[in-house]
Each structure stands twice: as C-alpha cells, then as structure tokens.
Amino acid sequence: MPPKKRNSGTTQSKELKSAESASTDKKESPKLTHRDKDAEFVTLCKSLHVTDLVCDRAWTLWKTVQDSMNEIDSEKRVWGACLFVSGADMDVACFTLTQVLKAVSLNVMQFVDLVRKLDVNMDTISTKVNSALTRLEKKYNVTLALYQRFEKTCKKIFALVSDDQERETMRSCWTMFLLAKGRALQMEDDLVISFQLLLCTLESFIKRCPPDLLQPLYKSAISKVQSPPTRTSRRNQSKAKFRPPEPEVDLQLLKTLCEENECNAEEVKNVYQTSFSTFLDSLDFSRSSDFPQANDLNQQYEEHYLKSRDIDGRLFFDGDETVLLPKVEISQVERTPKKNLPDEDVLIPPQTPIRAAMTSIQQLRGDLTSSGDQPSTNLATYFKNCTVDPTQAVLKRLETLGQAFSQRFGQAVGPRCVVLGWQRFKLGVRLYYKVMEAMLKSPYDFDSSKLLNDSTFHTSLLACALEVVMATYGESSFKTGGYNHGGGDPVETDVCFPWILDVVNLAAFDFYKVIESFIKAEPTLSKDIVKHLETCENLIMERIAWRTDSPLFELLTQEHEGGAAEQVETPASFSQPLQHNHTAADLYLSPMRPGLRVLPSPDSPATPSSQAASQPPAQPAGQTPHHPKSNSLSLFYKKLYRLAYTRLKILCSYLLSSHPELEPIIWTLFQHTLQHEHELMRDRHLDQLMMSAMYAICKVKSVDLRFKTIVTAYKNMPNTNQETFKHVLITEGHYDSIIVFYNQVFMQKLKTNILQYASTRPPTLSPIPQIPRSPYKFPNSPLRVPGSNNVYISPLKSPRMSPGIMTPRSRMLVSIGESFGLSNRFQKINQMVNSSDRSFKRTLDLGSTPKPLKRLRFDVDGQDEADGSKSGGDSTLIQKLAEMSK
C-alpha cells in the first residue's frame, strides 16, 4: 500500500521528534519546584551548585528517559548525565566534568557512554551536546596518551632517591605542563604540539635538577653544554632591561630529549621559542635557576581548570579512578611490538598514539628531504616551456596562501602558533612541488601548458598537500564525522577537513578532482593518509559538493540545458569496471560548457584526454548530434553511485537481511533520485536520501520498518554523524528531523514514482554498480604470488628510514630470512609482479621512489592461508624466483 499523507504526517512525526520541537516542549513545561523532585536529586544538584533552571531541565529529561535506562545504571549516575546534558545545552557552566564524575563515581569513558545512552528517541542529545561530548572525549584521550608517555619518559630521566624527591619534581613538572598547554593552546586536543610542549617542560626541569636526581644519559647531556644559561648580573640589569629577553633553552639537552622520544628537535625548539618561552615569562620563571613553587603552580592551574569546566588533569598523576583506564587496557596500549617467535602466533598490538604520530611525521619529513622550497630544475623547465610561464603566478599564489594559512592556523591552534603554521605550510609546499613534478611525468599525453596555468589546479594541489601535512600531524581528523560544529565556541578551534578549503577559498568539487591523481603520483603516502584522503573524497561526494554555491550544480545545469545527455551517467555503465587511468588534466581541463571538447560516450568508461578529439566526429545520418560531457562530472557520478550503493548495502545488511529482495528495489529508487531529482541533494546529505528511499520502499511493500529503527542502525555505520538525521534542510533556512524531511519534501516530490513500486508494473530495476577493490588500498600492501606457497612480495623501496628512527615494528619487517642478493633481483621480481593481470594495479615508478621489501613469508606445508587451497604445481613466477636465487 502506498504511504498515506495523514498517517505519515502525524503518526510518523510522533515516532521521531525534531531537536527543535523537543526543546520547545521542554520550555513549555510547567515550572517545577524542588518538592516535585526526588530529594537525593536535589541534594546532588546542590552539591554541584546547579542553578534552578538547569535543575528543572535535568529533572524533566530524567523523567523522559528513566523508563528506557538499564537497571545497571543507578539513578544517581543517570541524574549526573542529565545535569551535564542540560548544562551544556543551556550554556550554563555550574560544575566541572571532574566534579560530576566524583559525585556519581564514574570514570570519563563510562560517563561519555552513559550520556550517549540517554539518546533513546534520537532527540535527547542535541548537536551542541554531542559536539561538546566529542571534544571532551578527544581531549581526554590526548591527555591520557601524554601522561602515559610522561610517566614512561620520567623513568628514564629521574633517578630513584630515598626521600621521593623525584616524585615531587615529576608532580610539579606535570602540573606546569598542564598549565602551559592550557595557556598556549586553544586546541588542547592537538597531540603533537602538546607533546612538544611536554618536552619543553621536561627540559626546563631537567636542567634545574641536582645531578644525583638524574639518570646518566641526561646528566651527561647537561654537562655537554658549553656555557650555562645566561643570566643578567645586577650590575648590568639597568642596561639589559631594554634588550628583548632571549629564551633560555639548553639545545643539547633538548636534542637528547627529542632523540629519545623520536621527535624533530627543530620543531620542538620553535615551539619553545614561540610559545613556551612566553609562558615561562608569564610565570617570571625563565631567568630563575630554581624550581617553581608547587603551591603557585597548583593555584594557577586550579584557576584555569575551574574556568574551563573540564577534566582536572592533575588526577592522572594521582592515579585517580575517574581518569585512568582499567589496567588491562593500559597494558595493551603500552605494549611494544614483539617479533614473532617460532611456533607462536603473536599478534602485533597497535602503536601508542604518540609513537604513531612521531613515526608518521618522520616518514613525511624523510620523504621530503630531497624536495626543496622552490621548484626543482626539472619543474622549472616545465614552467619555462609553457606558452605562458606560470612561475611568477605560482610564487605569488604561494605567498598569499602562506600568509592566509599561517594566520588561520594561529587563530585556531594558539596565538603564538603562527610560526608553526608556516612550518606546516613549508612542508606542504615541498610536497606540492614534488607531486606536481610526478604528475607532469605521466605517460599520458595532455596539455601541460594549459594545466600549469590553471589557478584552480594549483590551489587544489596545494590544498591536498596541506591536508596531507595536517593529517600527518593529527590536526585534521574525522572524529566528528567531518562536521565542524564549534560547540557554541566563537573561537575557531577545529582544523578538520574541510577547514583547508575555506582557508584557500576552494570549492570542494574542485578539490575532489585532484585527490586520485595526487595519490597515484605520490606512492610514499602511508595507508593512514591514503585512507584519510579517501574519506575526504567521500565527504565531498556525500555532502560538501552539494552546497548551494558549488560548481557541481552549474555543471549539472549545463549538462541538461546543453543537450549533452538526459542522464549524467547511464545505469548501463554500472556493470563496467571503474577506470583509474585519467589524469588531473582530464578533470581540470574538462569542458565546462557544451562544445569545447568531445569526450567518450557516457556508456563507456572514462578514458585519458589524449583519446579525445579536438573536433566533433561526424554524426551518423539521422542521428541527433551528441554534445560532450564533462569528464569531472562523469567520474564524480560514477564514484557517487558506487559510494551510494556501498552505503545502502551496509544499511540493508543491518535491517533487511530477511528481505533481500528489497535491496535492488530501494537502490532503484535511490539511484533514480540522484539521477533525476538531484536538486533534493542541495544542502543535504547523501544518506538522508538513502534512509528516505529505504523507508518509502518498506512502506509500499508493507514491511514494518520504523524511522527510529533506521537511524538507530545508521548510527552504527562507519563515518556517520547524528546531525545527518537530526538536522535536515526542509525549506530555505529551516531545518528539522529526517522524518519531517521525508513527509514534507521527499515523499511529496517522489510520490508518483514511489507509488509505481506498489503497482503490478513497477519500474525496471537499476543495474547494481560494480564495487571493485578501492583504487587507494593496494599500493603499499604485500601481494601474494599466484599459485605460490605463501610468497608475498612488495615493491622495492629506498631505505629512507635509518635504524635510529625505525619503530620496533618497522625494524622487524626490514629483513626476514636469508639474504636474497643484490637489489636488481628484487627489481626483476617487481617487473614480473607488476606485469601480472590485476585490474586494480597501480602504476609504480620504480626508478623514482623505490620501496623496501615488507613481507616474504613461506608456509612449510604448501597450504595457502587465505583460501585453504594448495597449489597444483609451481607457477612460472615461482620457477623464475628459484632460478634467480641460485
């Protein structure tokens, strides 16, 4: 039966309220008195100094959720969660997080989980509260990682003495670090800069320690200093007061600390000189040879902590149960990877967050060692050979965007961090030049002169390089699903993608064009960075490219008005493999209006621009002239359809496993909407149409599936955010829940089409897109040789990481088994592997960026571990390997 407007408009609206209507209901509730509340609840409110308004709202929330909460969650704990939600929603700071944790006897992670459990009807936790909760969770994880490293490092620094003097020194050092982090950084969840500040703090304490309090390594590091920290004598104080104070930093000691902690000494030195020295001056501590007074540090940090209404970081040092993880979890995080012993199946645990971050930064900096801040000789030659030399335009653009990036970085991270922003930008410029040169060496023919004079291409390439740098330093992540809410804070403190697009004033659709070419041109990118860029691409396709001011809508309009094709991408092409041999030129020089260039038929896969003729071919007699399509739009829709179907398939597996016949029907409606009703995507999210299509088809097929059930399952999907179903555009400037969008927009627009699926002659089903292995996942993965006895081969890499900076994991993977001889043998192996028939294979330039052998494993019984099969005989490749090893 088709959905009825009366039912869907009333009954369904009760099923899922909007955030706005829910808050309105709460405001209109009659005023409560303390006599209406439980006496213990009132006592809890008084102990936390809660205002009457917050108290009333929290009690109302408790009455709403109490029936749905588990018995294991005591009333008092749920009351604490309700008070936190109410205070955050109303922007009323009555208590700190630590105070409420103490009051209800929960640790941070238990409390976060409890707050999220309150969202039983999907209308309890607002976007503001969820954002605040996510920020607290991330800040807690960063502080925990920092404390674990601090404790580990201090054991290597301080010697044990009888009077526990080292313990008191450590306490003062940790408190001073917390204070420095709070004053120097607006983004206190920035792991890398926070860790660098921690090293600065340790340096300032170590050099003031008596020798008997230090381990030999650090005692000797101080003794190597040629001259002690300079101090101004009383006789010269009057003359020196007009000189700008120079930061007292023991460079040898700082270098030792950095080497022991796998951190770049130059970066830490810059953090010291720009941020930490200013902090020391604020304490009047920079010229003192004594330790700071513990009471003074405690008092100043107490003021900061109470003002921030956050977690009391000193509790980490005290081992307080509200902040520490269970010992089992801590031991898992701190374990060092071990080499597998014979006859043992030892799983390698993940690296600690700090070690992983430092390793990623070292790898990036190592990969860019040979790249300069200026175009290389080869790149300069490319520029000079252009019809119009772009050199000056490139340099001017970099100067302008460098100023914008560093200033915005400083505004977001901390007022003294502009210099650090310049450091990030310079790394980005090196990567930008490196990737550009690699792109120009592409085997495909294209107009490099035109591409190098395309401002959008340059800005996109630079933005992608900067995003890689930001992601490597952990400053751009997707903890909040790509949404930047701000949590009501007027100060910009989130540099997560798409922040970079706003900084360089670039449309997301233009940024998407460079991502795949960037990854193919830079084979040294780590798997985590490749995955990060893939997530950026997905965010663009599912939401950001559909903003009103996006050039995507202009392209769609031109496609239809120019008579290019009635469909942006034909369903017939779904079953064809997605080609990945296009270049950046194919997308950036693709026609913006009909008639500029003839491209392949929409029924065929995208091909390189070199195969496109400059003049339209002759049309067969009696056939309507076919105008060209935009390469960038065609590829965008190919990828969009595959992303859309992949996400739908996941959601169907959660909800409709007993009705597998519905998946292709839902997909047909979903695909029809994207193809013919793309205006529904304007300022909306792909998943909003997906959930609406699922609900519509289940409704007409009489399958009982409520929207509440859909969004509950949706929350468990990867890379999702509650704003997707709580904050949906209804009309211009008005947002409501997904159910309101379905009733008032989606169903009204597609009612006729939806009803067809209930008729005896439903629409023809859309073909299912072919979902290949991601083109972004194969470059660094070891390959199992077909027909082999568990032989895995990776492309040969250059030994860019010296043994001194390798992690235990990378040390273990460098060489396993007997020596195989000279590197040219590995080159021959690579040639054979690369020539194998793998549709998803990525072209590798073995001459420019070689890679190390990662894994070469053998199974003694000849059984393949992946599929359990045994080889019937040696393959040609195995025979050649045997010949080469003789």
Side-chain angles (χ1 to χ4, degrees), residues 652-666:
C652 286
S653 70
Y654 290 170
L655 298 169
L656 297 173
S657 57
S658 59
H659 296 278
E661 74 282 358
L662 293 184
E663 182 186 299
I665 302 174
I666 298 169

Side-chain angles (χ1 to χ4, degrees), residues 540-805:
I540 290 170
M541 289 190 291
E542 67 192 22
R543 178 175 63 90
I544 308 172
W546 298 98
R547 291 173 178 170
T548 292
D549 57 352
S550 172
L552 174 60
F553 288 104
E554 181 185 354
L555 274 177
L556 287 167
T557 301
Q558 291 169 357
E559 285 286 309
H560 292 288
E561 290 180 353
E566 293 183 1
Q567 311 171 71
V568 289
E569 192 56 45
T570 61
S573 67
F574 291 172
S575 58
Q576 298 172 342
L578 186 61
Q579 301 295 309
H580 299 285
N581 55 354
H582 44 266
T583 66
D586 292 321
L587 305 184
Y588 285 97
L589 305 183
S590 181
M592 288 295 292
R593 56 184 182 278
L596 289 183
R597 235 170 79 194
V598 173
L599 300 177
S601 163
D603 291 340
S604 64
T607 55
S609 57
S610 59
Q611 300 176 13
S614 59
Q615 297 296 328
Q619 293 287 339
Q623 211 177 81
T624 305
H626 184 74
H627 292 290
K629 290 183 63 175
S630 161
N631 258 0
S632 57
L633 182 62
S634 175
L635 181 64
F636 180 85
Y637 256 83
K638 285 178 185 290
K639 289 189 172 186
L640 175 68
Y641 284 148
R642 285 162 174 80
L643 174 65
Y645 178 71
T646 300
R647 295 186 68 73
L648 175 64
K649 190 173 181 66
I650 294 173
L651 192 58
C652 286
S653 70
Y654 290 170
L655 298 169
L656 297 173
S657 57
S658 59
H659 296 278
E661 74 282 358
L662 293 184
E663 182 186 299
I665 302 174
I666 298 169
W667 165 243
T668 301
L669 174 60
F670 190 15
Q671 185 272 324
H672 167 87
T673 308
L674 293 173
Q675 179 177 316
H676 298 288
E677 304 292 347
H678 53 76
E679 276 295 322
L680 285 176
M681 280 294 296
R682 188 183 291 273
D683 293 324
R684 296 191 179 98
H685 194 292
L686 179 70
D687 293 346
Q688 293 163 355
L689 271 61
M690 174 185 71
M691 289 185 278
S692 297
M694 175 176 282
Y695 184 82
I697 294 301
C698 288
K699 196 74 175 174
V700 299
K701 294 296 183 180
S702 300
V703 174
D704 184 20
L705 183 65
R706 298 172 179 269
F707 248 119
K708 177 181 175 181
T709 307
I710 293 175
V711 298
T712 300
Y714 175 76
K715 288 171 66 177
N716 294 322
M717 289 178 62
N719 301 319
T720 59
N721 188 286
Q722 65 166 350
E723 175 145 323
T724 304
F725 55 82
K726 287 189 175 183
H727 195 70
V728 190
L729 179 67
I730 309 302
T731 58
E732 186 176 357
H734 173 59
Y735 293 81
D736 214 309
S737 67
I738 184 72
I739 189 66
V740 177
F741 165 72
Y742 173 85
N743 290 329
Q744 297 184 12
V745 182
F746 188 87
M747 190 181 68
Q748 303 304 321
K749 187 73 174 178
L750 294 165
K751 184 185 299 182
T752 302
N753 186 270
I754 293 172
L755 289 174
Q756 291 177 5
Y757 294 93
S759 68
T760 55
R761 300 183 63 184
T764 303
L765 295 178
S766 296
I768 300 299
Q770 185 181 78
I771 308 297
R773 182 177 176 178
S774 169
Y776 303 132
K777 292 180 181 175
F778 54 77
N780 294 321
S781 300
L783 308 175
R784 184 176 63 83
V785 178
S788 70
N789 296 338
N790 252 9
V791 178
Y792 290 79
I793 300 177
S794 292
L796 179 66
K797 300 181 183 179
S798 61
R800 62 171 181 267
M801 295 177 69
S802 65
I805 63 173

Side-chain angles (χ1 to χ4, degrees), residues 439-452 583-586 589 609-610:
M439 285 181 174
L440 293 172
K441 294 177 180 178
S442 167
Y444 300 111
D445 183 29
F446 61 90
D447 188 347
S448 60
S449 178
K450 189 173 181 180
L451 181 67
L452 290 175
T583 66
D586 292 321
L589 305 183
S609 57
S610 59

Side-chain angles (χ1 to χ4, degrees), residues 404-448:
F405 178 86
S406 58
Q407 291 297 324
R408 288 285 296 274
F409 185 89
Q411 291 171 17
V413 179
R416 299 276 177 177
C417 295
V418 173
V419 173
L420 304 183
W422 270 112
Q423 286 183 330
R424 306 283 194 273
F425 186 78
K426 288 178 180 177
L427 279 177
V429 169
R430 290 185 173 191
L431 185 58
Y432 158 76
Y433 283 139
K434 182 184 179 185
V435 174
M436 189 193 308
E437 185 172 339
M439 285 181 174
L440 293 172
K441 294 177 180 178
S442 167
Y444 300 111
D445 183 29
F446 61 90
D447 188 347
S448 60

